[in-house]
């Protein structure tokens, strides 16, 4: 792993490239030598998110694992994120990675805490990245976010094609999703509708496959996108 110093250098270089579509970078608490208290984790998260903002990027606020370890309740999640958001300028994205990818995040965002966090300041919280490995749940959360003009990105590789097309659980013929309206993220115009966008890590080969799939979608070939990604 690069560690935060290595990632910070990458963030600064990305900012210097003046990328036409901008960039997103994760802010986490992984640089702490020990688990740390909630206050210590918040401080590290703020430092990293501010550095990403200063470089011109959009911070993706990765989960604070200390909350799931201590089995924090719904209200505590909301207050921790309220404090975190109050120290950032925005825009930001909230990450919700499920236990299939990170077992220590079992029961993260309990109750309605995710929905309440997303509703704290929609002008600042422009969306979320979901890695829940649950199409039905992501669909439900996406529709709630759509009502606030918030963007949902998916990190769910297993169901990626279906989520990009907005195909809900059950048999359905591939179709090009309908764009209902547009919103803005860091100066970029982003389409909204009953479908997810993609925000994934991975190899160059995986990125090229995704790019090819999106080219098929642009050409109106929803079945082609699905065949490539599945």
């Amino acid at each position: 792993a690069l560690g935060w110093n290595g990632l910070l250098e990458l963030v600064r270089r990305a900012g210097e490239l003046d990328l036409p579509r901008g960039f997103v970078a994760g802010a986490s608490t992984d640089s702490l030598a020990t688990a740390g208290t909630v206050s210590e984790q918040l401080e590290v998260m703020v430092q990293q998110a501010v550095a990403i903002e200063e470089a011109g990027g959009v911070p993706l606020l990765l989960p604070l694992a200390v909350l799931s370890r201590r089995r924090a309740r719904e209200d505590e999640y909301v207050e921790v994120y309220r404090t975190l958001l109050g120290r950032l300028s925005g825009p930001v994205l909230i990450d919700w990675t499920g236990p299939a990818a990170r077992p220590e995040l079992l029961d993260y965002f309990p109750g309605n805490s995710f929905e309440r966090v997303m509703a704290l300041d929609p002008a600042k919280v422009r969306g979320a990245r979901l890695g829940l490995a649950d199409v039905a749940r992501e669909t439900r959360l996406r529709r709630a976010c759509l009502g606030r003009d918030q963007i949902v990105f998916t990190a769910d590789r297993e169901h990626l094609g279906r989520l990009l097309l907005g195909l809900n659980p059950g048999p359905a013929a591939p179709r090009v999703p309908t764009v209902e309206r547009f919103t803005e993220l860091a100066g970029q115009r982003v389409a909204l509708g009953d479908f997810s966008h993609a925000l994934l890590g991975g190899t160059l080969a995986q990125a090229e496959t995704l790019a090819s799939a999106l080219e098929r979608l642009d050409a109106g070939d929803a079945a082609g996108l699905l065949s490539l990604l599945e």
Side-chain angles (χ1 to χ4, degrees):
L2 289 174
W4 170 240
N5 288 334
L7 289 173
L8 178 58
E9 180 61 25
L10 288 179
V11 164
R12 288 172 174 164
R13 291 187 184 187
E16 291 169 357
L17 292 174
D18 195 23
L19 300 167
R21 297 287 185 180
F23 70 96
V24 174
S28 74
T29 61
D30 292 346
S31 60
L32 278 174
T34 60
T37 65
V38 172
S39 295
E40 289 170 338
Q41 291 213 0
L42 271 176
E43 193 62 36
V44 170
M45 182 80 80
V46 168
Q47 290 174 1
Q48 294 192 10
V50 167
I52 294 165
E53 287 182 337
E54 290 176 345
V58 175
L60 172 68
L61 305 181
L62 299 174
L64 290 150
V66 66
L67 293 176
S68 55
R69 280 198 295 269
R70 63 186 286 171
R71 297 189 177 182
R73 296 185 177 182
E74 180 177 327
D75 286 346
E76 184 175 357
Y77 274 79
V78 176
E79 290 311 308
V80 167
Y81 275 89
R82 189 193 307 276
T83 300
L84 177 58
L85 293 171
R87 296 184 60 186
L88 301 175
S89 300
V92 302
L93 302 173
I94 303 292
D95 183 87
W96 186 3
T97 298
R102 292 183 60 185
E104 72 272 22
L105 296 179
L106 181 67
D107 297 328
Y108 201 79
F109 280 130
N112 292 317
S113 55
F114 176 78
E115 291 89 337
R116 290 173 62 188
V117 166
M118 295 300 292
L120 286 173
D121 189 351
K124 182 179 290 187
V125 181
R126 296 304 305 123
R129 182 181 74 165
L130 302 178
L132 303 176
D134 185 333
V135 174
R137 194 176 195 186
E138 180 165 323
T139 299
R140 177 180 62 80
L141 294 171
R142 184 178 65 227
R143 289 172 177 171
C145 287
L146 182 60
R148 296 184 293 268
D149 279 359
Q150 291 170 313
I151 309 154
V152 167
F153 296 90
T154 188
D156 184 351
R157 289 190 179 278
E158 182 179 355
H159 307 105
L160 181 58
R162 298 186 65 82
L163 289 165
L164 294 183
L165 294 174
L167 299 178
N168 301 325
R175 53 164 176 74
V176 176
T178 300
V179 175
E180 298 181 15
R181 57 186 180 274
F182 290 85
T183 191
E184 183 267 343
L185 173 64
Q188 300 297 316
R189 190 168 179 251
V190 181
L192 291 178
D194 195 14
F195 55 88
S196 300
H197 293 268
L199 183 54
L200 305 155
T203 65
L204 179 58
Q206 290 171 327
E208 290 172 345
T209 299
L210 179 57
S212 296
L214 294 176
E215 286 175 358
R216 294 198 182 187
L217 182 60
D218 284 341
D221 181 8
L225 175 142
L226 201 58
S227 67
L228 271 177
L229 297 182
E230 290 191 341

